[in-house]
Amino acid sequence: MEQQPAVIRVGDLDFPARKVWMRTYGCQMNYHDSERILSHLGKLNFTATDKQEDADLVLFNTCAVRDLANLKFYSHLGETSHIKKDVVIAAGGCIAQTEGKDLVKKYKQLDFAFGTDVIDNIGEMVYRAYAGDRKFSVTTWDRSEDYSIETKITHGTPQAFVNIIKGCDKFCSYCIVPFTRGREKSRRLEEVVKDVQRLVEFSGIQEVTLLGQNVNSYGKDNGESLAQLLGELQKINGLELIRYTTSHPYDVSDELVDAHAKLNKLANHLHLPVQSGSNTVLQRMLREYTSEHYLQLVAKMRAANPEMVITTDIIAGFPNETEEEHQDTIKLLKAARFDFIYAYTYSPRKGTKSARMTDVLTDEIRSRRLQEIMDLQEDIQKEVRQQMEGKTYRVLVIEKGSYKGQTKWNGRTSCNRLVHFTPSEGDVTDYLWHWVDVEITSTTAFSCQAKFVRDHGKKRTHA
Ligand code: SF4
């Protein structure tokens, strides 16, 4: 957030300089929403602090998708019960969308809750709270046909998240997202292109990640498509790299596969959640594809672009998953040879179809299956990453670190692998946000060490 004046006046209230502490849980969409929230709060004279004890406003941006994120939120909220009364405490995000009223009732320290569709009204809600109106919940849906926003940047990095579609129409049987984020609505292609042009031109952004719960369904509601949008973004001068996440296998079109063959600014990475290798489990999950179809997509992507790296999500122990069904997932992992997987044991989400299924699996079985999946994947990952050794990759340096007293720079490849490299002896260049070439020298299942080859510089100065 920018430097704020000592006092600003909004309506009937003075807003002296105040501090906001915020904790975000869950997916990149949530992190991006938090950025929007902070940007709005900047207009009410708030600056961000990472010390909760210094904050005048404590905000939680919650996630209802994963059990762990859910539990963490409730535990962190519980810890705020001792916070002094003049501090405003609020919760937004997916849990607040579905349980806002109950949360405010149950937790005496919680002043208000706000849903996923009203984050652009956060200023009004904070204004209301400081005017003395507490204990309210705003979880209304935005009923307008259009989805129109402008991306807000509150940081000084050359990377930006850009929402292009919100909501989801898929209703997978285990997922709460369609109930917390509503139906799919895409931004107009022209608006997204102008937004990214503005980010590149005025905020020095070089890498964008296009976001959506089901991002490759983009444009279905208004006759446009993700492949079309990627083609237009490719033309923007100064934009170096385009990523997008998260995709649904049902919506991977031939045009999208083709885009990965043709567009050199498009990252060589596709995160394509498969969830299970068993067709009967996929049916119970209401995923609308088979494991055969999924593997065909993977093969098509790799044929179109041999550098393509595919990552996925797996749910271990979906209700009543048999040993045979679990083995189908093991087979799929061996066939697909993913670069990385996010694997979780199944946990029911209140209000979803799968939460109402009778289930014979125990936590022990689920954990054992998850472990088998992780062990196998670790072996696959080791082999997959070994193939990188001796090859040169272009990375955007994102962080300075150190190892045993020596400087290490961390960068990300186009295929989204984290790479650590040591500068040559005597080289004290500040490589942060430079594009550099590195040669991979050694790999493990989870890391890649590299040596510096050449510097392409910062490309552009950024804000
Ligand atoms: S496609 Fe993704 S966001 Fe949509 S319901 Fe299925 S799991 Fe949830």
Side-chain angles (χ1 to χ4, degrees):
M1 282 187 285
E2 285 161 27
Q3 186 104 32
Q4 299 302 314
V7 175
I8 57 173
R9 189 157 183 84
V10 182
D12 300 329
L13 289 183
D14 283 338
F15 272 80
R18 288 190 174 104
K19 289 192 170 149
V20 51
W21 175 93
M22 187 158 187
R23 161 92 17 118
T24 307
Y25 309 83
C27 65
Q28 283 166 325
M29 295 276 284
N30 250 21
Y31 280 87
H32 182 53
D33 284 352
S34 293
E35 238 182 284
R36 293 186 70 73
I37 290 169
L38 289 177
S39 163
H40 287 301
L41 290 175
K43 293 177 198 143
L44 290 184
N45 220 2
F46 281 91
T47 50
T49 174
D50 51 10
K51 290 192 186 126
Q52 199 189 64
E53 60 275 21
D54 291 348
D56 306 287
L57 172 64
V58 166
L59 285 182
F60 296 96
N61 193 6
T62 66
C63 165
V65 174
R66 301 260 178 254
D67 216 21
L68 190 65
N70 218 301
L71 293 173
K72 273 190 188 162
F73 160 63
Y74 282 108
S75 145
H76 293 152
L77 179 61
E79 287 163 13
T80 59
S81 59
H82 67 282
I83 287 183
K84 53 187 190 307
K85 287 210 165 52
D86 51 342
V87 173
V88 170
I89 304 179
C94 290
I95 297 179
Q97 177 68 43
T98 50
E99 297 171 31
K101 256 194 199 151
D102 293 344
L103 279 179
V104 169
K105 220 192 265 172
K106 193 166 165 197
Y107 292 88
K108 66 175 184 354
Q109 71 272 35
L110 193 64
D111 293 302
F112 69 92
F114 58 101
T116 51
D117 243 7
V118 292
I119 59 166
D120 287 335
N121 305 100
I122 186 71
E124 290 155 39
M125 289 178 266
V126 168
Y127 177 87
R128 233 176 115 176
Y130 278 99
D133 181 6
R134 308 268 170 116
K135 306 303 284 178
F136 61 87
S137 160
V138 185
T139 54
T140 41
W141 289 113
D142 169 12
R143 300 278 170 212
S144 58
E145 295 281 302
D146 290 337
Y147 171 34
S148 173
I149 54 165
E150 190 177 77
T151 303
K152 308 278 184 200
I153 300 286
T154 57
H155 56 70
T157 81
Q159 298 170 306
F161 291 115
V162 176
N163 278 357
I164 61 167
I165 175 172
K166 65 175 177 176
C168 183
D169 290 350
K170 287 284 186 289
F171 289 92
C172 301
S173 64
Y174 53 85
C175 185
I176 194 74
V177 165
F179 306 99
T180 61
R181 296 273 174 173
R183 298 293 76 73
E184 285 172 9
K185 263 189 219 174
S186 305
R187 292 173 69 191
R188 298 302 314 207
L189 185 145
E190 201 189 336
E191 180 190 292
V192 178
V193 173
K194 279 194 184 141
D195 198 20
V196 175
Q197 264 163 350
R198 180 185 56 85
L199 292 173
V200 171
E201 209 166 315
F202 299 110
S203 304
I205 294 301
Q206 296 163 34
E207 177 186 312
V208 289
T209 303
L210 309 177
L211 293 179
Q213 264 86 30
N214 188 8
V215 74
N216 56 336
S217 188
Y218 171 80
K220 281 191 171 173
D221 50 336
N222 58 24
E224 294 168 335
S225 76
L226 180 60
Q228 249 177 300
L229 174 62
L230 294 169
E232 292 305 313
L233 295 180
Q234 162 84 19
K235 297 176 193 161
I236 297 179
N237 280 335
L239 182 64
E240 298 282 322
L241 193 60
I242 310 161
R243 303 183 188 276
Y244 62 91
T245 196
T246 286
S247 301
H248 191 292
Y250 182 84
D251 294 315
V252 176
S253 63
D254 287 345
E255 290 74 28
L256 189 59
V257 176
D258 210 35
H260 277 280
K262 288 185 180 144
L263 306 180
N264 66 349
K265 291 184 182 177
L266 187 54
N268 296 328
H269 175 219
L270 175 65
H271 185 67
L272 195 61
V274 64
Q275 310 296 10
S276 171
S278 154
N279 288 341
T280 40
V281 171
L282 289 171
Q283 260 172 19
R284 299 208 289 283
M285 288 178 167
L286 305 179
R287 288 291 287 176
E288 303 181 56
Y289 54 85
T290 61
S291 62
E292 292 79 11
H293 175 70
Y294 183 91
L295 288 171
Q296 274 167 18
L297 286 178
V298 169
K300 260 195 209 174
M301 275 288 176
R302 287 179 175 151
N305 176 353
E307 298 299 317
M308 239 7 227
V309 155
I310 318 265
T311 54
T312 202
D313 295 341
I314 301 275
I315 297 173
F318 192 72
N320 305 315
E321 182 190 66
T322 63
E323 193 51 38
E324 203 184 338
E325 288 170 332
H326 166 60
Q327 288 306 322
D328 286 341
T329 298
I330 296 285
K331 278 183 214 153
L332 180 123
L333 288 174
K334 287 180 181 166
R337 294 181 68 74
F338 296 107
D339 187 78
F340 189 81
I341 66 168
Y342 297 88
Y344 308 89
T345 51
Y346 168 80
S347 61
R349 299 268 69 93
K350 212 169 109 193
T352 60
K353 273 197 180 149
S354 69
R356 295 194 293 276
M357 292 175 182
T358 48
D359 183 16
V360 296
L361 292 193
T362 60
D363 287 349
E364 213 183 347
I365 297 176
R366 287 199 168 92
S367 301
R368 196 251 304 150
R369 289 183 184 167
L370 176 66
Q371 198 53 52
E372 283 174 19
I373 287 168
M374 300 296 279
D375 288 347
L376 169 64
Q377 177 59 26
E378 189 173 335
D379 291 343
I380 293 171
Q381 239 164 263
K382 242 187 246 166
E383 290 168 15
V384 167
R385 290 185 184 213
Q386 248 169 23
Q387 291 163 10
M388 295 172 73
E389 292 177 15
K391 291 189 187 158
T392 299
Y393 290 85
R394 184 170 180 254
V395 301
L396 176 62
V397 181
I398 55 170
E399 202 176 32
K400 184 181 185 178
S402 78
Y403 182 68
K404 292 185 179 168
Q406 226 186 359
T407 298
K408 282 257 176 200
W409 291 99
N410 303 326
R412 226 167 245 293
T413 63
S414 154
C415 54
N416 213 23
R417 283 165 176 149
L418 192 62
V419 167
H420 315 282
F421 71 93
T422 315
S424 324
E425 221 180 314
D427 181 359
V428 290
T429 311
D430 180 1
Y431 286 110
L432 189 63
W433 306 122
H434 282 220
W435 294 87
V436 302
D437 287 343
V438 295
E439 183 189 318
I440 307 295
T441 50
S442 66
T443 55
T444 66
F446 299 101
S447 77
C448 299
Q449 301 298 327
K451 72 174 183 212
F452 173 79
V453 175
R454 74 181 66 81
D455 184 17
H456 296 284
K458 263 191 180 172
K459 293 284 170 196
R460 288 165 55 86
T461 49
H462 50 273

